[in-house]
Amino acid sequence: MELYLIRHGIAVERGLYDIDAERPLTDKGRKRTVAVGKRLKALEIHFDLILTSPLVRARQTAEILHSLDLSARMAISQNLAQEGNIEAWVAWLEHWRSALRSPQPPVNAPREPKQIQPTKLALVGHEPNLGEWAEQLLWGRSPNVRDSAERFIVKKAGVLGFHLPDQGSPLGNSQLFWLSPPRLLLP
Amino acid sequence: MELYLIRHGIAVERGLYDIDAERPLTDKGRKRTVAVGKRLKALEIHFDLILTSPLVRARQTAEILHSLDLSARMAISQNLAQEGNIEAWVAWLEHWRSALRSPQPPVNAPREPKQIQPTKLALVGHEPNLGEWAEQLLWGRSPNVRDSAERFIVKKAGVLGFHLPDQGSPLGNSQLFWLSPPRLLLP
């Protein structure tokens, strides 16, 4: 399975909206997010699901990716809000993966030769959460790790890509294969 | 300062050469390395120095990047050979950075308005070394870390980019801003 963490695009400044959760993307934020989405499309990346933080700037980012036909489905998850936590998401993931495995094809359905594609899940969220999640995916929780240090620089509309183990917790057992800010991703 | 770790391109298979260190790049390996180099060039990345492992497949990779005018200089470092170690490289880095800082402009030289550009150093080497170095740059040595686990997937001709602190050891104090396999880097 492949997991993609995507940070929301550039949003209007803090303070212009009374409620932080309602800050929308700026025009530049939209354009850049569209450009990133088109690049993902050109790279033939297609998600089985985009899960997004409920905050407007994240939801708009996810909607742009969804509208570019990058994903079959899109849903909102409180786990991706700024106060969300990765353990709750891991529990959700376990359920989602079991549900993906269980549907059986109808008995008489023609058997198409099926190209085996890894399941691809995208999460749209915030910093510093995404960088912290990245750390926990690779290392798990380690009492030795200084929690305040920012080890991954995740720019707005930036992307991280992980390979997750087929079974068991992804925490401490995942591998990073991609990290890119829009600047190094766009043509 | 920015540090780039670059893995050598695709080389001929083990066993075709008696001496592993002499395995050259394949035609495909050359072409893909040239393509990666051109992409780095298009991204306006220019190194102050490319330091390469002495092994033929790494040297050829570095020479391709150098021939594309991606770097002012190129040199070989034993620290980047498979038996090299990061502590020796950190000692070298300290010297190299002091040397970069010391040259003073001639007294009567015209003062050009100078755009401040971070120093950029590229290292061309091998796996699993580069992935291990990446881990130590971000986390330092931690007794909690399972040393055998591969946390970064570094493909042949793949690139990692780090921000290093201005002073002091980069081990445990660096930040990752880029990791890309050629597949996700090339147009």
Side-chain angles (χ1 to χ4, degrees):
Chain A
M1 170 170 170
E2 292 178 2
L3 175 70
Y4 295 78
L5 305 186
I6 302 171
R7 189 177 172 196
H8 65 80
I10 301 166
V12 302
E13 281 180 37
R14 253 167 233 281
L16 289 177
Y17 278 68
D18 285 344
I19 302 174
D20 177 76
E22 292 182 358
R23 288 194 286 135
L25 299 184
T26 62
D27 278 354
K28 189 179 167 192
R30 284 183 175 280
K31 278 182 196 150
R32 222 162 162 72
T33 304
V34 167
V36 166
K38 286 185 176 169
R39 176 72 179 140
L40 296 180
K41 188 104 182 153
L43 291 167
E44 299 183 357
I45 293 169
H46 189 269
F47 308 117
D48 295 277
L49 174 66
I50 296 175
L51 216 54
T52 177
S53 147
L55 277 64
V56 168
R57 56 192 182 277
R59 255 174 34 214
Q60 289 183 340
T61 301
E63 278 158 9
I64 286 170
L65 302 179
H66 189 55
S67 71
L68 289 168
D69 199 23
L70 275 165
S71 176
R73 296 171 187 196
M74 179 184 148
I76 289 172
S77 167
Q78 295 297 332
N79 298 326
L80 295 170
Q82 284 163 316
E83 64 280 11
N85 82 74
I86 196 167
E87 279 87 3
W89 171 78
V90 168
W92 170 89
L93 179 70
E94 194 56 44
H95 281 105
W96 183 67
R97 292 172 88 173
S98 330
L100 275 186
R101 274 185 222 110
S102 45
Q104 298 296 325
V107 178
N108 295 324
R111 301 199 180 186
E112 289 175 30
K114 215 175 169 182
Q115 211 193 338
I116 297 170
Q117 278 281 351
T119 304
K120 290 190 175 76
L121 171 67
L123 309 182
V124 179
H126 306 270
E127 273 287 88
N129 306 47
L130 295 180
E132 289 166 6
W133 285 36
E135 198 158 327
Q136 292 192 45
L137 286 164
L138 299 193
W139 276 266
R141 278 201 184 281
S142 158
N144 274 19
V145 164
R146 291 161 300 133
D147 276 331
S148 60
E150 189 187 55
R151 291 190 178 77
F152 297 96
I153 297 177
V154 187
K155 295 284 187 185
K156 294 192 177 90
V159 181
L160 293 129
F162 299 86
H163 286 305
L164 265 53
D166 282 337
Q167 295 195 320
S169 172
L171 304 187
N173 297 309
S174 300
Q175 300 176 299
L176 187 73
F177 67 86
W178 199 21
L179 165 61
S180 187
R183 174 177 65 92
L184 298 172
L185 182 58
L186 301 178
Chain B
M1 173 173 168
E2 291 179 5
L3 174 70
Y4 295 79
L5 305 187
I6 302 170
R7 188 176 174 197
H8 65 79
I10 301 164
V12 302
E13 281 180 36
R14 254 167 234 280
L16 288 176
Y17 278 67
D18 284 344
I19 303 173
D20 177 75
E22 292 183 357
R23 288 194 287 135
L25 299 185
T26 61
D27 278 354
K28 188 179 167 192
R30 284 182 174 282
K31 278 182 196 149
R32 221 160 161 75
T33 304
V34 167
V36 166
K38 286 185 175 167
R39 176 72 178 140
L40 296 180
K41 189 103 183 156
L43 290 167
E44 298 183 358
I45 293 169
H46 189 269
F47 308 117
D48 296 277
L49 175 65
I50 296 174
L51 216 54
T52 177
S53 148
L55 275 62
V56 168
R57 56 192 183 277
R59 256 173 35 213
Q60 289 183 337
T61 301
E63 278 158 10
I64 286 170
L65 302 178
H66 188 57
S67 71
L68 289 170
D69 200 24
L70 275 165
S71 175
R73 294 172 188 197
M74 176 184 150
I76 288 170
S77 168
Q78 294 298 332
N79 298 326
L80 295 170
Q82 284 163 317
E83 65 279 11
N85 82 76
I86 197 167
E87 279 86 4
W89 172 77
V90 168
W92 170 88
L93 179 71
E94 194 55 46
H95 280 106
W96 184 68
R97 293 172 89 173
S98 331
L100 276 186
R101 274 184 221 112
S102 44
Q104 299 296 326
V107 178
N108 295 322
R111 301 198 183 187
E112 291 175 28
K114 213 175 169 181
Q115 211 192 340
I116 296 171
Q117 277 281 351
T119 303
K120 288 191 177 75
L121 172 65
L123 308 183
V124 179
H126 306 271
E127 273 288 272
N129 306 49
L130 295 180
E132 290 166 6
W133 286 36
E135 198 158 326
Q136 292 193 43
L137 286 164
L138 299 192
W139 276 265
R141 278 200 184 284
S142 158
N144 275 20
V145 165
R146 291 161 300 131
D147 275 332
S148 60
E150 188 187 57
R151 293 191 176 77
F152 297 96
I153 297 178
V154 187
K155 294 284 188 185
K156 294 193 178 90
V159 181
L160 294 129
F162 299 85
H163 287 305
L164 265 53
D166 282 338
Q167 295 195 319
S169 171
L171 304 187
N173 298 307
S174 300
Q175 300 175 300
L176 187 72
F177 66 86
W178 197 24
L179 164 61
S180 187
R183 174 177 65 91
L184 299 173
L185 182 58
L186 301 178

